[in-house]
Amino acid sequence: MNDLLRMILLDANTQWVLIGTMLLGIASGVLGGIALLRKQSLIGDAVAHAALPGICIAFLLSGEKSLFVLLIGATITGLLAAYSIQFIISSSIIKEDAAICLVLSVFFGFGIVLLTKVSQTPSGNKSGLDDFIFGQAASLVGNDVKLMAGAAAVLIFITALIFKELKVLTFDPSFAKGLGLPTGLLNFLFLSLLVAAVVVGIQAVGVILMAALLITPAIAARYWTNSLSKMIVISGIFGALSGMAGTLISTLGEGLPTGPFIVVTATALFLISMLFAPERGLVTKWIKRIANNKQLRNNKLLQGEKRSGYHEL
Amino acid sequence: MNPVVVENLTVAYQKKPVLSNVSFEVPEGKLIGIIGPNGAGKSTLIKAILGLIPKAAGEIKIYDKKYRPKDRVVGYVPQRGSVDWDFPTNALDVVLMGRYGHVGWFKRPGKKDTEIAMECLKKVGMEKYANRQISQLSGGQQQRVFLARALAQDAKVYFMDEPFVGVDAATERAIIELLNELKRQGKTVLVVHHDLQTVKEYFDHVMLLNVNTIAAGPTEEVFTLENLTRTYGGKLSFLEKDQLIVEQK
Ligand SMILES: Nc1ncnc2c1ncn2[C@@H]1O[C@H](COP(=O)(O)OP(=O)(O)OP(=O)(O)O)[C@@H](O)[C@H]1O
Ligand SMILES: [Mg+2]
């Protein structure tokens, strides 16, 4: 086991895959943290599911499995889904949750239909497109993984650059507008960054679980701090840990999908945070309350004794 | 040059206009009360002036120019309910947002900005709470943080939407003191206000609004029973009592 681990870690491709999933985890954690506060986490889920038809269409049109081409397809349908949701909310009486659900199921259903179609084509059944369902980081090779790592790094950089603007936009949109910020453009930009993170991540994590990499590190991080910048950093770290751990586990076992292990790691981090985070963790709070109550009771007892003493006098 | 001039402003969310042909101007260096019943369009007026919602018709001039947020002449205190107070941030950080316009794109607020923000917190008596998570502030304290943020904008004209809602008498006093201080510095402050009893005491000018401008001008001239009757319409019965108190003072 140890030897196997060492062998894997020394392999140049695996190193790249690890770096790639780590950067992906940071990007997802960072953007997911902001999305959480903007109440847009579920849009990420819809976008991820909506990437599937794009991938299939790109494959059917190009006839080859070039990751770059497939991701362009994913980006197009992903963006389409994101803007459809925004459009439905703003122009009909349908509420956000219903709009997201509607778009997600329509796009994903269409994607599954297309995937069935692809597997019936001669080249299709060996195309490995089903890797996109649950993710397969280990199958990433050469330039593909460098593409993923590079794109994730760019996303992190852009987010850091406009962090202050995103912060005020999220906290108080009308104040942001009053400051002269182009809020419409910033909204559009953030949504595009979110879509990009999803698209970059689907090869490794898969369309079904990609949203968990956006949401879980973010809600776990929320337990640790009351400062936005710290929360975003912690969320990025949790995302990176999840990405790396998930990749390692799936690489160790031959042919195991990556996405579920990334998500299991992220969920474990979340559970630890929920229970044991200082101040906000459930167990921490419980222990504190017991100690506090005990002290209050003791004080009362003392007061009570004084009072009874007074009566005796 | 008047800091705010509004001519024939009309705003509609749906078919029926919420503001119709509103015209008024305010002089520089004064405290101006915007008065009118619920739903009169007071918040809408402020938002339209700030360009937060589109106008259907009319002309708005800030210091003789079309309003551009980039000019940084206008500060804004929204109604408190308008944000999510669970947002992970502290009081000082919120006040620092008032400096973002000065800081500019891509850059972080510097030490000087932090100093200014601290000073503004001190002015509203909140310096002790600088590092307090905003969800752990009381309603009145949150209101003061918003006020401090507007001060940090260092604007020439301020719009405040009901800054006195849910604050205790002492805080209201402190805020009014602060507004008078701003006035002495030559700034113009427009305040949406509901308490008719304090109007005469607080404001130099008033603007009575109910979809249309009912009246606007110096308080002694405009804040009359007749104008108030026209502004509040059928709700006059309980108003008359208030009015008596106001007149007696
Ligand atoms: N986003 C909106 N969409 C549609 N109608 C709106 C919207 N916001 C406000 N209105 C309507 O516009 C009218 C004026 O609202 P506004 O908020 O400006 O009133 P206000 O004078 O500030 O009232 P209050 O004293 O209660 O704060 C109201 O009739 C309200 O129902
Ligand atoms: Mg209002």
Side-chain angles (χ1 to χ4, degrees):
Chain A
M1 174 83 183
N2 249 345
D3 286 342
L4 187 63
L5 192 64
R6 195 167 310 131
M7 202 177 77
I8 284 170
L9 286 177
L10 286 178
D11 175 62
N13 192 60
T14 314
Q15 285 170 0
W16 265 108
V17 171
L18 276 176
I19 291 173
T21 44
M22 189 185 78
L23 286 169
L24 168 72
I26 297 175
S28 311
V30 166
L31 288 163
I34 299 172
L36 177 75
L37 296 170
R38 296 174 60 77
K39 304 181 174 66
Q40 289 184 330
S41 308
L42 285 176
I43 292 187
D45 196 22
V47 167
H49 282 77
L52 188 61
I55 290 167
C56 295
I57 293 171
F59 179 79
L60 287 171
L61 290 181
S62 70
E64 52 169 345
K65 198 197 166 209
S66 141
L67 184 64
F68 188 67
V69 174
L70 297 186
L71 290 192
I72 286 180
T75 310
I76 292 172
T77 47
L79 280 173
L80 200 62
Y83 300 133
S84 307
I85 292 170
Q86 302 267 313
F87 178 74
I88 292 173
I89 297 168
S90 64
S91 68
S92 75
I93 55 162
I94 299 174
K95 292 272 182 302
E96 183 157 25
D97 54 348
I100 290 173
C101 192
L102 179 77
V103 168
L104 184 151
S105 31
V106 167
F107 276 77
F108 189 60
F110 186 49
I112 293 290
V113 170
L114 287 174
L115 195 62
T116 322
K117 182 114 188 87
V118 166
S119 62
Q120 284 163 357
T121 62
S123 60
N125 48 8
K126 286 200 292 286
S127 67
L129 282 202
D130 358 354
D131 280 354
F132 282 101
I133 300 279
F134 284 117
Q136 189 53 273
S139 70
L140 280 166
V141 285
N143 286 335
D144 288 354
V145 68
K146 284 174 194 161
L147 178 73
M148 178 173 101
V154 169
L155 289 180
I156 297 164
F157 178 73
I158 296 177
T159 314
L161 208 59
I162 58 168
F163 182 71
K164 168 168 115 293
E165 284 73 20
L166 286 176
K167 176 176 174 175
V168 63
L169 178 76
T170 305
F171 176 61
D172 193 344
S174 36
F175 189 77
K177 206 165 172 184
L179 285 173
L181 291 176
T183 48
L185 185 75
L186 275 171
N187 274 325
F188 175 85
L189 185 62
F190 178 74
L191 211 52
S192 308
L193 289 173
L194 198 64
V195 171
V198 166
V199 167
V200 169
I202 44 181
Q203 167 78 344
V205 190
V207 295
I208 294 185
L209 293 175
M210 184 55 214
L213 190 57
L214 288 172
I215 299 168
T216 321
I219 51 174
R222 188 69 186 82
Y223 278 94
W224 293 86
T225 173
N226 278 327
S227 139
L228 177 68
S229 38
K230 281 184 199 144
M231 172 188 152
I232 296 301
V233 169
I234 295 172
S235 178
I237 293 171
F238 282 174
L241 287 175
S242 314
M244 282 175 29
T247 307
L248 269 182
I249 298 170
S250 92
T251 317
L252 281 172
E254 203 49 42
L256 287 179
T258 321
F261 289 104
I262 291 184
V263 173
V264 166
T265 315
T267 309
L269 287 169
F270 165 69
L271 286 175
I272 293 170
S273 308
M274 187 179 75
L275 293 176
F276 302 113
E279 285 189 37
R280 287 175 166 235
L282 291 181
V283 175
T284 330
K285 269 209 298 220
W286 183 63
I287 292 174
K288 262 193 195 150
R289 192 161 51 232
I290 288 184
N292 199 17
N293 286 351
K294 205 168 162 187
Q295 204 185 346
L296 283 175
R297 263 201 304 275
N298 280 346
N299 286 351
K300 224 185 202 155
L301 225 68
L302 282 175
Q303 276 173 8
E305 269 165 22
K306 263 188 215 145
R307 208 171 296 134
S308 59
Y310 179 79
H311 270 288
E312 272 161 30
L313 270 174
Chain B
M1 191 178 11
N2 281 334
V4 182
V5 178
V6 174
E7 274 169 20
N8 296 321
L9 176 69
T10 299
V11 177
Y13 290 104
Q14 275 120 28
K15 244 187 209 143
K16 197 161 160 269
V18 172
L19 292 174
S20 168
N21 276 321
V22 169
S23 300
F24 69 102
E25 24 192 284
V26 303
E28 191 169 33
K30 296 275 192 258
L31 258 177
I32 298 112
I34 301 177
I35 319 275
N38 292 133
K42 304 180 296 294
S43 300
T44 304
L45 175 67
I46 291 188
K47 286 182 192 156
I49 293 176
L50 294 175
L52 299 176
I53 49 173
K55 55 186 203 285
E59 200 68 57
I60 298 166
K61 290 255 165 68
I62 304 286
Y63 279 105
D64 236 12
K65 279 198 299 194
K66 194 170 172 298
Y67 169 62
R68 289 181 317 181
K70 276 186 216 110
D71 296 341
R72 283 189 257 126
V73 286
V74 170
Y76 174 41
V77 182
Q79 269 182 301
R80 178 156 45 87
S82 60
V83 304
D84 172 15
W85 287 97
D86 258 335
F87 194 85
T89 191
N90 61 30
L92 178 63
D93 225 27
V94 172
V95 179
L96 266 177
M97 288 180 191
R99 300 299 303 164
Y100 284 7
H102 300 255
V103 175
W105 281 86
F106 308 133
K107 280 180 256 150
R108 300 270 177 274
K111 220 172 110 198
K112 177 121 183 300
D113 297 302
T114 312
E115 269 164 29
I116 294 174
M118 266 320 277
E119 223 166 86
C120 295
L121 272 174
K122 201 177 264 170
K123 278 188 195 152
V124 299
M126 286 286 293
E127 71 272 26
K128 270 186 288 179
Y129 298 92
N131 294 316
R132 178 76 69 90
Q133 156 73 16
I134 53 170
S135 64
Q136 294 167 6
L137 296 171
S138 76
Q141 292 168 337
Q142 292 172 344
Q143 190 67 56
R144 289 200 247 175
V145 169
F146 263 4
L147 201 62
R149 181 178 68 172
L151 294 181
Q153 283 184 279
D154 193 19
K156 287 207 249 173
V157 188
Y158 284 101
F159 292 91
M160 309 192 173
D161 204 343
E162 306 195 20
F164 301 121
V165 166
V167 304
D168 60 25
T171 307
E172 180 159 337
R173 278 267 121 238
I175 294 178
I176 267 298
E177 263 317 300
L178 193 72
L179 300 190
N180 281 319
E181 169 65 32
L182 287 174
K183 193 172 86 177
R184 280 193 289 277
Q185 293 167 14
K187 315 210 165 188
T188 311
V189 187
L190 291 93
V191 180
V192 174
H193 192 61
H194 269 302
D195 183 4
L196 296 175
Q197 298 192 36
T198 48
V199 168
K200 281 206 163 163
E201 184 189 344
Y202 289 173
F203 301 109
D204 310 311
H205 278 230
V206 291
M207 129 100 178
L208 297 175
L209 182 76
N210 193 351
V211 185
N212 308 294
T213 348
I214 307 294
T219 311
E220 321 83 68
E221 288 172 27
V222 171
F223 196 70
T224 61
L225 185 57
E226 197 213 333
N227 281 336
L228 283 170
T229 314
R230 280 167 59 212
T231 313
Y232 285 82
K235 295 177 205 162
L236 186 72
S237 50
F238 69 89
L239 214 149
E240 252 165 348
K241 217 167 68 208
D242 285 345
Q243 184 61 14
L244 283 176
I245 299 167
V246 175
E247 298 287 4
Q248 276 163 9
K249 266 190 187 165

